[in-house]
């Protein structure tokens, strides 16, 4: 692990008077991820509370498909978390957020093992022996980040090192989502935009890396002609993750039948008009039967996929940000572990 301060600039402006302290982490298979801690400009080192009996709570954020710590939709929630007393940190996936790609494996919906590495590191470096297990970690996932977080929560169950979770526009059923994105004008158009975004990002950052692959043929030259995520997942994501086809990858990435295994308080926000997973594909019955953590799936009539705008057109703001702040405040006010309080 190595760390350094990076000044945060976007269009030559500092973001909310915060600087980023970066920790670069190596994964067991030789890959690289990073944690970007948002710190006030006055701090000269990462804020740790090892000398306290109870460490300051942490708000961990997982961005969307090609997002990282500079994603626009994370700014408000990072600021809100800081106001509530959380230390805010963003997980940058393999190959994103200026992470060097050290292995052939890129990020995917199955990257919960990388999340485990990050969470274990946060606890190890933030908690003293006396405060072990007392620090609250609230994790928030957006779109693909929500998919990874959901997979982590249901696979870890009662052993989760994350204490509470907020999921924004998660895709619970990848098989149903693939069918949805291939039907109708607007879903097909959104599908096209998504595949252009992911192929453009991977080509821009790692084209030469995958062209030189000696283990797999990723058909890089064909990517510019793809019109759907399924085509990209068939050519790249599935074989990169060790699957023979996109369908097998979708089956493994889906969490819909195992939501009852989530054991920590979890709030999911979805929109009925989400072009990836509309209300008919939401696991409403499955959530209703959950007796553990995921007991609340909030569905709005509008909101699209990671949209949720409210207010007048000349001054819109995000309902999801307001909901996150309410949830984070509630978690911060709990006495003891949220996992115990919600049982």
């Amino acid at each position: 692990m190595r760390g350094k301060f990076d000044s945060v600039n976007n269009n030559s402006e500092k973001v909310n008077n915060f600087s980023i302290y970066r920790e670069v982490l190596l994964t067991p298979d030789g890959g690289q991820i990073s944690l970007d801690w948002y710190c006030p400009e006055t701090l000269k080192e990462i804020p740790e509370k090892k000398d306290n009996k109870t460490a300051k709570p942490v708000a961990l954020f997982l961005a969307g498909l090609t997002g990282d710590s500079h994603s626009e939709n994370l700014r408000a929630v990072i600021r809100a978390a800081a106001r509530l007393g959380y230390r805010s940190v963003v997980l940058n996936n393999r190959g994103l957020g200026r992470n060097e790609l050290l292995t052939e494996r890129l990020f995917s919906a199955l990257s919960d093992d990388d999340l485990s590495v990050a969470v274990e590191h946060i606890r190890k470096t933030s908690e003293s022996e006396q405060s072990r297990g007392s620090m609250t970690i609230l994790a928030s996932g957006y779109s693909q980040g929500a998919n990874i977080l959901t997979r982590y929560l249901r696979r870890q169950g009662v052993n989760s090192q994350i204490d509470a979770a907020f999921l924004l526009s998660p895709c619970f059923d990848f098989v149903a989502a693939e069918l949805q994105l291939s039907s109708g004008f607007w879903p097909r158009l959104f599908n096209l935009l998504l595949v252009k975004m992911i192929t453009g990002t991977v080509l821009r950052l790692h084209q030469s890396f995958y062209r030189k692959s000696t283990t797999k043929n990723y058909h890089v030259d064909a990517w510019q002609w793809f019109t759907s995520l399924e085509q990209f997942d068939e050519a790249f994501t599935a074989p990169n993750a060790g699957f023979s086809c996109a369908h097998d990858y979708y089956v493994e990435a889906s969490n819909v039948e195992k939501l009852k295994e989530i054991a920590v308080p979890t709030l999911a926000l979805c929109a009925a008009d989400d072009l990836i997973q509309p209300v008919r594909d939401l696991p409403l019955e499955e959530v209703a039967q959950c007796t553990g953590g995921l007991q609340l799936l909030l569905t709005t009539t509008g909101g699209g996929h990671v949209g949720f705008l409210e207010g007048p057109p000349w001054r819109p703001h995000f309902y999801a940000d307001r909901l996150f702040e309410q949830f984070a405040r509630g978690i911060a006010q709990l006495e003891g572990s949220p996992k115990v309080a919600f049982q």
Side-chain angles (χ1 to χ4, degrees), residues 253-264:
S254 297
N255 298 299
V256 62
E257 296 180 357
K258 301 179 180 179
L259 296 176
K260 62 182 179 181
E261 298 174 10
I262 297 177
V264 304

Side-chain angles (χ1 to χ4, degrees), residues 80-102:
R83 287 199 305 268
L84 295 172
Y86 287 88
R87 290 181 293 141
S88 297
V89 59
V90 180
L91 171 61
N92 296 305
N93 287 315
R94 299 177 185 227
L96 295 177
R98 293 175 294 142
N99 278 326
E100 184 180 356
L101 195 60
L102 301 181

Side-chain angles (χ1 to χ4, degrees), residues 218-260:
Y218 292 114
H219 307 285
V220 177
D221 290 331
W223 292 6
Q224 61 180 319
W225 308 112
F226 288 169
T227 58
S228 71
L229 280 176
E230 192 274 337
Q231 291 175 305
F232 177 74
D233 290 337
E234 185 77 23
F236 178 80
T237 312
N240 186 256
F243 294 89
S244 60
C245 64
H247 179 78
D248 290 348
Y249 164 70
Y250 293 155
V251 171
E252 178 61 29
S254 297
N255 298 299
V256 62
E257 296 180 357
K258 301 179 180 179
L259 296 176
K260 62 182 179 181

Side-chain angles (χ1 to χ4, degrees), residues 31-337:
Q32 177 178 298
I33 58 177
S34 62
L35 291 170
D36 282 349
W37 294 86
Y38 275 70
C39 312
E41 283 290 315
T42 54
L43 293 181
K44 299 303 180 184
E45 60 182 6
I46 185 171
E48 297 181 358
K49 299 293 180 180
K50 280 190 173 184
D51 56 334
N52 292 351
K53 292 183 178 180
T54 302
K56 195 174 182 181
V58 170
L60 171 63
F61 297 96
L62 288 75
L65 186 60
T66 60
D68 56 28
S69 60
H70 289 76
S71 294
E72 189 77 21
N73 61 354
L74 294 182
R75 291 189 181 186
V77 288
I78 287 173
R79 185 172 63 250
R83 287 199 305 268
L84 295 172
Y86 287 88
R87 290 181 293 141
S88 297
V89 59
V90 180
L91 171 61
N92 296 305
N93 287 315
R94 299 177 185 227
L96 295 177
R98 293 175 294 142
N99 278 326
E100 184 180 356
L101 195 60
L102 301 181
T103 69
E104 197 163 300
R105 178 186 167 190
L106 198 61
F107 63 90
S108 75
L110 310 181
S111 295
D112 58 300
D113 55 339
D114 289 348
L115 175 57
S116 293
V117 170
V119 173
E120 290 173 7
H121 172 80
I122 291 172
R123 287 211 177 273
K124 182 178 179 180
T125 57
S126 299
E127 294 180 318
S128 64
E129 290 296 329
Q130 293 76 20
S131 66
R132 189 73 65 198
S134 64
M135 181 184 70
T136 295
I137 297 180
L138 166 61
S140 302
Y142 294 71
S143 189
Q144 180 77 313
N147 302 333
I148 296 171
L149 179 53
T150 304
R151 180 177 172 84
Y152 170 90
L153 295 173
R154 61 94 169 165
R155 294 186 75 193
Q156 295 295 323
V158 296
N159 297 317
S160 171
Q161 295 299 302
I162 291 172
D163 300 288
F166 178 76
L167 309 173
L168 181 63
S169 297
C171 178
F172 295 109
D173 189 339
F174 276 65
V175 176
E178 192 278 323
L179 295 174
Q180 160 66 16
L181 285 171
S182 62
S183 61
F185 174 78
W186 292 114
R188 286 178 182 272
L189 178 60
F190 191 48
N191 200 354
L192 176 64
L193 295 175
L194 288 173
V195 74
K196 294 303 180 184
M197 179 175 65
I198 183 63
T199 55
T201 298
V202 179
L203 285 173
R204 175 172 54 86
L205 297 176
H206 309 299
Q207 179 176 175
S208 60
F209 188 98
Y210 289 112
R211 285 186 182 278
K212 297 176 183 178
S213 174
T214 58
T215 59
K216 298 181 179 71
N217 179 8
Y218 292 114
H219 307 285
V220 177
D221 290 331
W223 292 6
Q224 61 180 319
W225 308 112
F226 288 169
T227 58
S228 71
L229 280 176
E230 192 274 337
Q231 291 175 305
F232 177 74
D233 290 337
E234 185 77 23
F236 178 80
T237 312
N240 186 256
F243 294 89
S244 60
C245 64
H247 179 78
D248 290 348
Y249 164 70
Y250 293 155
V251 171
E252 178 61 29
S254 297
N255 298 299
V256 62
E257 296 180 357
K258 301 179 180 179
L259 296 176
K260 62 182 179 181
E261 298 174 10
I262 297 177
V264 304
T266 302
L267 168 62
L269 174 61
C270 302
D273 63 348
D274 192 325
L275 290 174
I276 295 180
Q277 189 168 249
V279 65
R280 69 169 184 272
D281 293 330
L282 290 176
L284 302 179
E285 294 185 5
E286 289 80 357
V287 173
Q289 296 172 4
C290 289
T291 58
L294 182 55
Q295 297 182 9
L296 183 57
L297 194 163
L298 180 59
T299 303
T300 59
T301 302
H305 189 73
V306 199
F308 302 99
L309 285 174
E310 63 177 359
W314 57 89
R315 193 178 180 183
H317 52 276
F318 291 97
Y319 169 70
D321 294 349
R322 183 159 60 91
L323 183 64
F324 165 81
E325 185 169 358
Q326 293 173 352
F327 184 66
R329 180 180 293 108
I331 294 298
Q333 291 174 349
L334 291 174
E335 294 185 4
S337 170

